Short mmCIF file of all heavy atoms in Angstrom, two decimals:
data_model
loop_
_atom_site.label_atom_id
_atom_site.label_comp_id
_atom_site.label_asym_id
_atom_site.label_seq_id
_atom_site.Cartn_x
_atom_site.Cartn_y
_atom_site.Cartn_z
N MET S 21 104.43 115.20 89.85
CA MET S 21 105.37 115.05 90.94
C MET S 21 104.75 115.48 92.27
O MET S 21 104.96 114.85 93.29
CB MET S 21 106.63 115.87 90.63
CG MET S 21 107.70 115.72 91.64
SD MET S 21 108.32 114.03 91.63
CE MET S 21 109.67 114.19 92.71
N SER S 22 103.99 116.58 92.25
CA SER S 22 103.37 117.06 93.48
C SER S 22 102.31 116.07 93.99
O SER S 22 102.09 115.96 95.20
CB SER S 22 102.77 118.44 93.29
OG SER S 22 101.72 118.40 92.35
N THR S 23 101.67 115.36 93.07
CA THR S 23 100.69 114.35 93.47
C THR S 23 101.37 113.21 94.21
O THR S 23 100.85 112.73 95.22
CB THR S 23 99.95 113.80 92.23
OG1 THR S 23 99.38 114.88 91.52
CG2 THR S 23 98.87 112.83 92.64
N LEU S 24 102.53 112.83 93.77
CA LEU S 24 103.29 111.77 94.41
C LEU S 24 103.72 112.18 95.83
O LEU S 24 103.64 111.38 96.76
CB LEU S 24 104.51 111.41 93.56
CG LEU S 24 105.32 110.20 94.02
CD1 LEU S 24 104.45 108.96 94.07
CD2 LEU S 24 106.49 109.99 93.09
N ILE S 25 104.14 113.43 95.99
CA ILE S 25 104.52 113.94 97.31
C ILE S 25 103.30 113.96 98.22
O ILE S 25 103.38 113.57 99.39
CB ILE S 25 105.15 115.34 97.18
CG1 ILE S 25 106.50 115.23 96.48
CG2 ILE S 25 105.32 116.00 98.54
CD1 ILE S 25 107.12 116.55 96.10
N PHE S 26 102.17 114.41 97.71
CA PHE S 26 100.94 114.45 98.49
C PHE S 26 100.52 113.05 98.94
O PHE S 26 100.17 112.85 100.11
CB PHE S 26 99.82 115.10 97.67
CG PHE S 26 98.51 115.19 98.40
CD1 PHE S 26 98.35 116.10 99.43
CD2 PHE S 26 97.45 114.37 98.05
CE1 PHE S 26 97.15 116.18 100.12
CE2 PHE S 26 96.25 114.44 98.72
CZ PHE S 26 96.10 115.36 99.75
N ILE S 27 100.58 112.09 98.06
CA ILE S 27 100.24 110.71 98.41
C ILE S 27 101.21 110.16 99.45
O ILE S 27 100.81 109.47 100.38
CB ILE S 27 100.20 109.83 97.14
CG1 ILE S 27 99.02 110.23 96.27
CG2 ILE S 27 100.13 108.35 97.50
CD1 ILE S 27 99.00 109.58 94.91
N GLY S 28 102.49 110.51 99.31
CA GLY S 28 103.48 110.09 100.30
C GLY S 28 103.21 110.67 101.68
O GLY S 28 103.31 109.97 102.69
N LEU S 29 102.84 111.95 101.73
CA LEU S 29 102.51 112.59 103.01
C LEU S 29 101.27 111.96 103.65
O LEU S 29 101.23 111.75 104.87
CB LEU S 29 102.31 114.09 102.82
CG LEU S 29 103.56 114.90 102.54
CD1 LEU S 29 103.19 116.34 102.23
CD2 LEU S 29 104.52 114.83 103.71
N ILE S 30 100.28 111.66 102.84
CA ILE S 30 99.08 111.00 103.34
C ILE S 30 99.44 109.62 103.89
O ILE S 30 98.94 109.19 104.94
CB ILE S 30 97.99 110.90 102.24
CG1 ILE S 30 97.52 112.28 101.84
CG2 ILE S 30 96.82 110.03 102.69
CD1 ILE S 30 96.80 113.05 102.92
N GLY S 31 100.32 108.92 103.21
CA GLY S 31 100.75 107.60 103.67
C GLY S 31 101.49 107.67 104.99
O GLY S 31 101.25 106.85 105.89
N VAL S 32 102.38 108.64 105.14
CA VAL S 32 103.12 108.80 106.40
C VAL S 32 102.16 109.17 107.53
O VAL S 32 102.25 108.64 108.64
CB VAL S 32 104.23 109.87 106.25
CG1 VAL S 32 104.81 110.26 107.59
CG2 VAL S 32 105.31 109.35 105.32
N TYR S 33 101.22 110.07 107.25
CA TYR S 33 100.22 110.46 108.24
C TYR S 33 99.39 109.25 108.68
O TYR S 33 99.20 109.00 109.88
CB TYR S 33 99.31 111.55 107.66
CG TYR S 33 98.17 111.92 108.57
CD1 TYR S 33 98.36 112.78 109.63
CD2 TYR S 33 96.89 111.39 108.37
CE1 TYR S 33 97.31 113.12 110.47
CE2 TYR S 33 95.85 111.73 109.20
CZ TYR S 33 96.06 112.59 110.24
OH TYR S 33 95.02 112.92 111.07
N GLY S 34 98.92 108.49 107.73
CA GLY S 34 98.10 107.31 108.03
C GLY S 34 98.88 106.25 108.79
O GLY S 34 98.37 105.65 109.73
N ALA S 35 100.12 106.02 108.40
CA ALA S 35 100.94 105.03 109.08
C ALA S 35 101.21 105.44 110.52
O ALA S 35 101.15 104.62 111.44
CB ALA S 35 102.26 104.83 108.33
N GLY S 36 101.50 106.72 110.75
CA GLY S 36 101.72 107.21 112.11
C GLY S 36 100.48 107.08 112.97
O GLY S 36 100.56 106.66 114.13
N ALA S 37 99.34 107.43 112.41
CA ALA S 37 98.09 107.32 113.16
C ALA S 37 97.79 105.86 113.49
O ALA S 37 97.38 105.53 114.61
CB ALA S 37 96.94 107.94 112.36
N TRP S 38 98.01 104.97 112.53
CA TRP S 38 97.75 103.54 112.73
C TRP S 38 98.65 102.95 113.81
O TRP S 38 98.22 102.22 114.69
CB TRP S 38 97.93 102.80 111.41
CG TRP S 38 97.65 101.34 111.51
CD1 TRP S 38 98.57 100.33 111.59
CD2 TRP S 38 96.37 100.71 111.59
NE1 TRP S 38 97.94 99.12 111.68
CE2 TRP S 38 96.59 99.33 111.70
CE3 TRP S 38 95.08 101.20 111.58
CZ2 TRP S 38 95.55 98.43 111.79
CZ3 TRP S 38 94.05 100.30 111.67
CH2 TRP S 38 94.28 98.93 111.78
N LYS S 39 99.96 103.28 113.74
CA LYS S 39 100.91 102.76 114.73
C LYS S 39 100.58 103.29 116.12
O LYS S 39 100.67 102.56 117.09
CB LYS S 39 102.34 103.14 114.35
CG LYS S 39 102.87 102.46 113.11
CD LYS S 39 103.26 101.04 113.37
CE LYS S 39 104.57 101.00 114.11
NZ LYS S 39 105.07 99.67 114.35
N PHE S 40 100.22 104.57 116.21
CA PHE S 40 99.87 105.14 117.52
C PHE S 40 98.60 104.50 118.06
O PHE S 40 98.51 104.18 119.24
CB PHE S 40 99.70 106.65 117.42
CG PHE S 40 99.44 107.29 118.75
CD1 PHE S 40 100.47 107.47 119.66
CD2 PHE S 40 98.17 107.71 119.11
CE1 PHE S 40 100.24 108.04 120.89
CE2 PHE S 40 97.92 108.28 120.33
CZ PHE S 40 98.96 108.45 121.23
N TRP S 41 97.62 104.29 117.20
CA TRP S 41 96.36 103.67 117.60
C TRP S 41 96.61 102.28 118.18
O TRP S 41 96.06 101.92 119.22
CB TRP S 41 95.42 103.58 116.41
CG TRP S 41 94.10 102.94 116.72
CD1 TRP S 41 93.82 101.62 116.70
CD2 TRP S 41 92.91 103.61 117.11
NE1 TRP S 41 92.51 101.42 117.04
CE2 TRP S 41 91.92 102.62 117.30
CE3 TRP S 41 92.57 104.94 117.31
CZ2 TRP S 41 90.63 102.94 117.69
CZ3 TRP S 41 91.27 105.25 117.68
CH2 TRP S 41 90.33 104.25 117.87
N ASN S 42 97.43 101.50 117.52
CA ASN S 42 97.71 100.14 117.95
C ASN S 42 98.57 100.07 119.21
O ASN S 42 98.49 99.10 119.96
CB ASN S 42 98.37 99.33 116.83
CG ASN S 42 97.39 99.00 115.74
OD1 ASN S 42 96.21 98.81 115.99
ND2 ASN S 42 97.88 98.95 114.53
N GLY S 43 99.38 101.08 119.47
CA GLY S 43 100.23 101.08 120.65
C GLY S 43 99.74 101.97 121.77
O GLY S 43 100.45 102.23 122.74
N PHE S 44 98.51 102.46 121.65
CA PHE S 44 97.98 103.43 122.61
C PHE S 44 98.00 102.93 124.04
O PHE S 44 98.22 103.69 124.97
CB PHE S 44 96.54 103.82 122.21
CG PHE S 44 95.99 104.96 123.01
CD1 PHE S 44 96.33 106.25 122.69
CD2 PHE S 44 95.14 104.74 124.09
CE1 PHE S 44 95.83 107.32 123.42
CE2 PHE S 44 94.64 105.79 124.82
CZ PHE S 44 94.98 107.09 124.49
N GLU S 45 97.81 101.63 124.25
CA GLU S 45 97.76 101.10 125.62
C GLU S 45 99.11 101.20 126.34
O GLU S 45 99.16 101.10 127.56
CB GLU S 45 97.25 99.66 125.64
CG GLU S 45 98.14 98.67 124.92
CD GLU S 45 97.89 98.60 123.42
OE1 GLU S 45 96.95 99.24 122.93
OE2 GLU S 45 98.66 97.88 122.76
N ARG S 46 100.19 101.43 125.63
CA ARG S 46 101.50 101.58 126.25
C ARG S 46 101.78 103.02 126.68
O ARG S 46 102.82 103.29 127.27
CB ARG S 46 102.60 101.11 125.29
CG ARG S 46 102.62 99.62 125.12
CD ARG S 46 103.79 99.16 124.27
NE ARG S 46 103.66 99.51 122.86
CZ ARG S 46 102.99 98.79 121.97
NH1 ARG S 46 102.39 97.68 122.34
NH2 ARG S 46 102.94 99.16 120.72
N THR S 47 100.89 103.95 126.40
CA THR S 47 101.10 105.35 126.76
C THR S 47 100.54 105.64 128.14
O THR S 47 99.87 104.80 128.76
CB THR S 47 100.42 106.28 125.74
OG1 THR S 47 99.02 106.13 125.82
CG2 THR S 47 100.91 106.01 124.33
N ASN S 48 100.78 106.86 128.61
CA ASN S 48 100.26 107.31 129.91
C ASN S 48 98.94 108.05 129.79
O ASN S 48 98.45 108.60 130.77
CB ASN S 48 101.29 108.24 130.59
CG ASN S 48 102.56 107.53 130.90
OD1 ASN S 48 102.58 106.34 131.15
ND2 ASN S 48 103.65 108.27 130.88
N PHE S 49 98.36 108.07 128.61
CA PHE S 49 97.12 108.82 128.40
C PHE S 49 95.92 108.06 128.95
O PHE S 49 95.93 106.83 129.04
CB PHE S 49 96.90 109.08 126.90
CG PHE S 49 97.97 109.95 126.29
CD1 PHE S 49 98.68 109.52 125.19
CD2 PHE S 49 98.25 111.20 126.80
CE1 PHE S 49 99.65 110.31 124.60
CE2 PHE S 49 99.22 112.01 126.24
CZ PHE S 49 99.92 111.56 125.14
N ASN S 50 94.88 108.82 129.27
CA ASN S 50 93.62 108.25 129.74
C ASN S 50 93.04 107.37 128.63
O ASN S 50 92.86 107.83 127.51
CB ASN S 50 92.66 109.39 130.08
CG ASN S 50 91.37 108.91 130.67
OD1 ASN S 50 91.22 107.74 130.99
ND2 ASN S 50 90.44 109.83 130.83
N PRO S 51 92.75 106.10 128.93
CA PRO S 51 92.35 105.15 127.87
C PRO S 51 90.89 105.26 127.43
O PRO S 51 90.17 104.27 127.40
CB PRO S 51 92.64 103.79 128.51
CG PRO S 51 92.45 104.03 129.96
CD PRO S 51 92.91 105.44 130.21
N SER S 52 90.43 106.44 127.07
CA SER S 52 89.07 106.57 126.57
C SER S 52 89.10 106.61 125.04
O SER S 52 90.11 106.94 124.43
CB SER S 52 88.42 107.86 127.10
OG SER S 52 89.04 108.99 126.55
N LEU S 53 87.99 106.27 124.44
CA LEU S 53 87.91 106.23 122.98
C LEU S 53 88.11 107.62 122.38
O LEU S 53 88.78 107.77 121.36
CB LEU S 53 86.56 105.65 122.54
CG LEU S 53 86.36 105.51 121.04
CD1 LEU S 53 87.41 104.57 120.45
CD2 LEU S 53 84.97 105.01 120.73
N THR S 54 87.55 108.66 123.01
CA THR S 54 87.70 110.02 122.47
C THR S 54 89.16 110.46 122.52
O THR S 54 89.64 111.10 121.58
CB THR S 54 86.82 111.03 123.22
OG1 THR S 54 87.09 110.94 124.61
CG2 THR S 54 85.35 110.76 122.98
N ASN S 55 89.88 110.13 123.59
CA ASN S 55 91.31 110.45 123.65
C ASN S 55 92.06 109.71 122.56
O ASN S 55 92.94 110.27 121.92
CB ASN S 55 91.91 110.06 125.01
CG ASN S 55 91.77 111.15 126.02
OD1 ASN S 55 91.35 112.25 125.71
ND2 ASN S 55 92.11 110.84 127.25
N ARG S 56 91.75 108.45 122.41
CA ARG S 56 92.46 107.63 121.43
C ARG S 56 92.26 108.17 120.01
O ARG S 56 93.21 108.28 119.24
CB ARG S 56 91.95 106.19 121.52
CG ARG S 56 92.78 105.21 120.80
CD ARG S 56 92.30 103.81 121.08
NE ARG S 56 93.38 102.88 120.82
CZ ARG S 56 93.36 101.62 121.14
NH1 ARG S 56 92.33 101.12 121.76
NH2 ARG S 56 94.38 100.85 120.86
N ILE S 57 91.03 108.53 119.68
CA ILE S 57 90.74 109.07 118.35
C ILE S 57 91.41 110.43 118.16
O ILE S 57 92.10 110.66 117.17
CB ILE S 57 89.21 109.18 118.12
CG1 ILE S 57 88.60 107.79 118.04
CG2 ILE S 57 88.90 109.98 116.86
CD1 ILE S 57 87.08 107.78 118.06
N GLY S 58 91.22 111.32 119.11
CA GLY S 58 91.78 112.67 118.98
C GLY S 58 93.29 112.69 118.92
O GLY S 58 93.87 113.37 118.07
N LEU S 59 93.94 111.94 119.80
CA LEU S 59 95.39 111.93 119.82
C LEU S 59 95.97 111.21 118.60
O LEU S 59 97.06 111.55 118.14
CB LEU S 59 95.89 111.28 121.11
CG LEU S 59 95.58 112.06 122.39
CD1 LEU S 59 95.94 111.24 123.61
CD2 LEU S 59 96.31 113.39 122.41
N SER S 60 95.25 110.25 118.07
CA SER S 60 95.71 109.56 116.86
C SER S 60 95.58 110.46 115.64
O SER S 60 96.45 110.43 114.76
CB SER S 60 94.90 108.29 116.63
OG SER S 60 95.15 107.35 117.63
N LEU S 61 94.53 111.24 115.56
CA LEU S 61 94.33 112.11 114.39
C LEU S 61 95.21 113.36 114.42
O LEU S 61 95.62 113.85 113.37
CB LEU S 61 92.86 112.52 114.29
CG LEU S 61 91.88 111.40 113.95
CD1 LEU S 61 90.46 111.92 113.95
CD2 LEU S 61 92.22 110.77 112.61
N LEU S 62 95.51 113.86 115.61
CA LEU S 62 96.29 115.09 115.73
C LEU S 62 97.78 114.84 115.95
O LEU S 62 98.51 115.75 116.32
CB LEU S 62 95.73 115.93 116.89
CG LEU S 62 94.33 116.45 116.71
CD1 LEU S 62 93.84 117.12 117.98
CD2 LEU S 62 94.27 117.42 115.55
N TRP S 63 98.25 113.62 115.72
CA TRP S 63 99.62 113.28 116.09
C TRP S 63 100.69 114.16 115.47
O TRP S 63 101.66 114.48 116.15
CB TRP S 63 99.90 111.79 115.85
CG TRP S 63 100.13 111.38 114.44
CD1 TRP S 63 99.22 110.89 113.58
CD2 TRP S 63 101.38 111.42 113.74
NE1 TRP S 63 99.80 110.61 112.37
CE2 TRP S 63 101.15 110.93 112.44
CE3 TRP S 63 102.67 111.81 114.06
CZ2 TRP S 63 102.13 110.83 111.49
CZ3 TRP S 63 103.67 111.71 113.10
CH2 TRP S 63 103.38 111.22 111.84
N PRO S 64 100.59 114.62 114.22
CA PRO S 64 101.70 115.43 113.68
C PRO S 64 101.88 116.76 114.43
O PRO S 64 102.99 117.13 114.79
CB PRO S 64 101.32 115.67 112.23
CG PRO S 64 100.33 114.61 111.89
CD PRO S 64 99.61 114.33 113.17
N ALA S 65 100.77 117.44 114.68
CA ALA S 65 100.85 118.73 115.38
C ALA S 65 101.31 118.55 116.82
O ALA S 65 102.14 119.30 117.33
CB ALA S 65 99.50 119.43 115.34
N LEU S 66 100.78 117.54 117.50
CA LEU S 66 101.17 117.30 118.88
C LEU S 66 102.61 116.84 118.98
O LEU S 66 103.33 117.20 119.92
CB LEU S 66 100.23 116.28 119.52
CG LEU S 66 98.80 116.75 119.71
CD1 LEU S 66 97.91 115.59 120.13
CD2 LEU S 66 98.74 117.86 120.74
N PHE S 67 103.06 116.05 118.04
CA PHE S 67 104.44 115.56 118.04
C PHE S 67 105.42 116.72 117.91
O PHE S 67 106.46 116.74 118.55
CB PHE S 67 104.65 114.56 116.90
CG PHE S 67 105.98 113.87 116.95
CD1 PHE S 67 106.15 112.76 117.76
CD2 PHE S 67 107.04 114.33 116.20
CE1 PHE S 67 107.38 112.11 117.81
CE2 PHE S 67 108.27 113.69 116.24
CZ PHE S 67 108.44 112.58 117.06
N ILE S 68 105.09 117.69 117.11
CA ILE S 68 105.96 118.85 116.90
C ILE S 68 105.96 119.78 118.11
O ILE S 68 107.01 120.29 118.50
CB ILE S 68 105.54 119.62 115.63
CG1 ILE S 68 105.81 118.79 114.39
CG2 ILE S 68 106.24 120.97 115.53
CD1 ILE S 68 105.19 119.34 113.13
N THR S 69 104.82 119.98 118.74
CA THR S 69 104.69 121.01 119.76
C THR S 69 104.78 120.55 121.20
O THR S 69 104.99 121.37 122.08
CB THR S 69 103.34 121.75 119.59
OG1 THR S 69 102.27 120.82 119.76
CG2 THR S 69 103.25 122.42 118.24
N ASN S 70 104.64 119.26 121.49
CA ASN S 70 104.51 118.82 122.87
C ASN S 70 105.52 117.72 123.19
O ASN S 70 105.45 116.62 122.66
CB ASN S 70 103.07 118.31 123.07
CG ASN S 70 102.74 118.10 124.51
OD1 ASN S 70 103.51 117.55 125.27
ND2 ASN S 70 101.54 118.54 124.88
N GLN S 71 106.43 118.01 124.13
CA GLN S 71 107.47 117.05 124.48
C GLN S 71 106.90 115.81 125.16
O GLN S 71 107.34 114.68 124.89
CB GLN S 71 108.50 117.71 125.38
CG GLN S 71 109.67 116.81 125.72
CD GLN S 71 110.69 117.52 126.59
OE1 GLN S 71 110.45 118.62 127.07
NE2 GLN S 71 111.82 116.89 126.77
N SER S 72 105.92 115.97 126.02
CA SER S 72 105.30 114.82 126.69
C SER S 72 104.63 113.90 125.68
O SER S 72 104.72 112.68 125.79
CB SER S 72 104.27 115.32 127.70
OG SER S 72 103.56 114.25 128.25
N TYR S 73 103.96 114.49 124.69
CA TYR S 73 103.34 113.68 123.65
C TYR S 73 104.38 112.91 122.84
O TYR S 73 104.18 111.75 122.51
CB TYR S 73 102.49 114.55 122.71
CG TYR S 73 101.76 113.75 121.68
CD1 TYR S 73 100.54 113.16 121.99
CD2 TYR S 73 102.30 113.52 120.42
CE1 TYR S 73 99.87 112.39 121.04
CE2 TYR S 73 101.64 112.76 119.49
CZ TYR S 73 100.43 112.21 119.80
OH TYR S 73 99.78 111.42 118.88
N ARG S 74 105.52 113.55 122.55
CA ARG S 74 106.60 112.87 121.82
C ARG S 74 107.08 111.63 122.57
O ARG S 74 107.29 110.58 121.97
CB ARG S 74 107.78 113.82 121.59
CG ARG S 74 107.65 114.68 120.38
CD ARG S 74 108.95 115.38 120.03
NE ARG S 74 109.42 116.29 121.06
CZ ARG S 74 109.07 117.56 121.15
NH1 ARG S 74 108.23 118.07 120.28
NH2 ARG S 74 109.55 118.33 122.09
N ARG S 75 107.25 111.75 123.89
CA ARG S 75 107.68 110.59 124.68
C ARG S 75 106.65 109.47 124.61
O ARG S 75 106.99 108.31 124.43
CB ARG S 75 107.91 111.00 126.14
CG ARG S 75 109.24 111.65 126.38
CD ARG S 75 109.54 111.76 127.86
NE ARG S 75 108.51 112.45 128.62
CZ ARG S 75 108.52 113.75 128.89
NH1 ARG S 75 109.52 114.50 128.48
NH2 ARG S 75 107.55 114.29 129.57
N ASN S 76 105.39 109.82 124.76
CA ASN S 76 104.33 108.82 124.71
C ASN S 76 104.17 108.25 123.31
O ASN S 76 103.88 107.06 123.16
CB ASN S 76 103.01 109.42 125.20
CG ASN S 76 102.94 109.45 126.69
OD1 ASN S 76 102.90 108.42 127.35
ND2 ASN S 76 102.95 110.64 127.26
N PHE S 77 104.35 109.05 122.28
CA PHE S 77 104.27 108.57 120.91
C PHE S 77 105.35 107.52 120.67
O PHE S 77 105.10 106.47 120.07
CB PHE S 77 104.41 109.74 119.94
CG PHE S 77 104.14 109.40 118.51
CD1 PHE S 77 102.84 109.31 118.04
CD2 PHE S 77 105.19 109.14 117.63
CE1 PHE S 77 102.59 109.00 116.72
CE2 PHE S 77 104.94 108.83 116.31
CZ PHE S 77 103.64 108.75 115.85
N ARG S 78 106.55 107.80 121.14
CA ARG S 78 107.65 106.83 120.99
C ARG S 78 107.36 105.54 121.75
O ARG S 78 107.68 104.45 121.28
CB ARG S 78 108.95 107.45 121.44
CG ARG S 78 109.46 108.49 120.46
CD ARG S 78 110.80 109.06 120.87
NE ARG S 78 111.17 110.15 119.99
CZ ARG S 78 111.33 111.41 120.38
NH1 ARG S 78 111.18 111.73 121.64
NH2 ARG S 78 111.66 112.32 119.50
N LYS S 79 106.74 105.67 122.93
CA LYS S 79 106.34 104.46 123.68
C LYS S 79 105.35 103.63 122.88
O LYS S 79 105.44 102.41 122.85
CB LYS S 79 105.69 104.84 125.02
CG LYS S 79 106.61 105.26 126.10
CD LYS S 79 105.78 105.53 127.34
CE LYS S 79 106.55 106.21 128.42
NZ LYS S 79 105.70 106.49 129.58
N ALA S 80 104.42 104.30 122.26
CA ALA S 80 103.39 103.60 121.49
C ALA S 80 103.99 102.89 120.28
O ALA S 80 103.55 101.80 119.92
CB ALA S 80 102.32 104.59 121.03
N LEU S 81 105.01 103.47 119.67
CA LEU S 81 105.60 102.88 118.48
C LEU S 81 106.57 101.74 118.79
O LEU S 81 106.87 100.94 117.92
CB LEU S 81 106.34 103.94 117.67
CG LEU S 81 105.51 105.06 117.10
CD1 LEU S 81 106.37 105.95 116.22
CD2 LEU S 81 104.30 104.57 116.33
N LYS S 82 107.02 101.65 120.03
CA LYS S 82 108.02 100.64 120.37
C LYS S 82 107.49 99.22 120.43
O LYS S 82 108.24 98.30 120.60
CB LYS S 82 108.70 100.98 121.69
CG LYS S 82 109.72 102.06 121.55
CD LYS S 82 110.50 102.21 122.80
CE LYS S 82 111.55 103.30 122.60
NZ LYS S 82 112.25 103.59 123.83
N GLY S 83 106.21 99.01 120.32
CA GLY S 83 105.55 97.74 120.39
C GLY S 83 106.37 96.58 120.20
O GLY S 83 106.37 95.49 120.41
#
């Protein structure tokens, strides 16, 4: 059962990173490759802690 939960969390993490990566051009962030990679990989922590990031994350997902 714990393996299934772990796989589900990995899937949610990957889906969020993928959606943010594809919608990155709709955000207010500097459009550099390093920003895109870093912000896509750190999205769960930034989404929880940063209100500005949450707004931009939602913009990216609205595609």
